[in-house]
Amino acid sequence: SEGSLLHIVRSRYKRDLIYTTLGGILVAVNPLRILNIYTMDTLNMYASALPHELSTSLPPHVFTVAAEAFHGLTNDLVDQSVVISGESGSGKTETTKLILQYISEVADSTSGVEQELLQSNPLLEAFGNAKTVRNDN
């Protein structure tokens, strides 16, 4: 029910666990402060996990989504997409940056695609800073 979902998300948030998985959906609550959960050690933990361990052995995290998409692209050879949605100021642009950071770290490419991904950030920022009904940028 909606009440139990809110209870779970709220109780996890109080323990600085800002990510919760609901089926195949990752729910994130913006902590409105810096948390030490995006370190290289954390990224490497998700990068070194086997695909089945991502959802069974590791806590929910944005790197789980990135790792699953990367595995699908590289191992299964299936095109991938990640949908990131939320209210204005909810952290969509930051989440996108984290996914791009993950992919750029694990891609192991000599073509420079990692830098191209990271350089797309100004374009993403432009979309993220667009004027909307709730955001008069």
Side-chain angles (χ1 to χ4, degrees):
S1 73
E2 185 176 334
S4 60
L5 168 63
L6 290 173
H7 173 72
I8 290 168
V9 171
R10 185 179 298 120
S11 66
R12 291 180 57 78
Y13 179 80
K14 287 179 181 178
R15 295 178 284 144
D16 287 337
L17 301 172
I18 63 167
Y19 294 109
T20 305
T21 304
L22 304 168
I25 298 172
L26 180 70
V27 175
V29 180
N30 188 340
L32 303 174
R33 60 190 174 86
I34 303 295
L35 296 178
N36 193 27
I37 60 173
Y38 305 110
T39 64
M40 284 305 297
D41 287 340
T42 303
L43 187 147
N44 289 329
M45 180 173 64
Y46 287 86
S48 64
L50 297 172
H52 72 277
E53 294 174 327
L54 290 168
S55 59
T56 59
S57 302
L58 295 173
H61 197 284
V62 67
F63 292 157
T64 305
V65 174
E68 288 174 343
F70 190 76
H71 282 297
L73 188 62
T74 57
N75 296 348
D76 302 335
L77 303 177
V78 176
D79 292 344
Q80 302 291 306
S81 62
V82 175
V83 177
I84 302 169
S85 70
E87 297 287 333
S88 177
S90 63
K92 298 179 297 295
T93 302
E94 291 304 314
T95 298
T96 302
K97 288 182 201 176
L98 289 165
I99 290 174
L100 292 176
Q101 175 194 1
Y102 178 92
I103 292 170
S104 70
E105 289 293 332
V106 301
D108 193 29
S109 168
T110 57
S111 68
V113 70
E114 304 89 1
Q115 283 306 311
E116 288 182 36
L117 275 173
L118 294 175
Q119 289 172 354
S120 70
N121 192 53
L123 178 63
L124 293 171
E125 286 288 339
F127 283 110
N129 292 327
K131 183 175 181 175
T132 66
V133 173
R134 294 184 176 208
N135 187 356
D136 191 19
N137 285 334

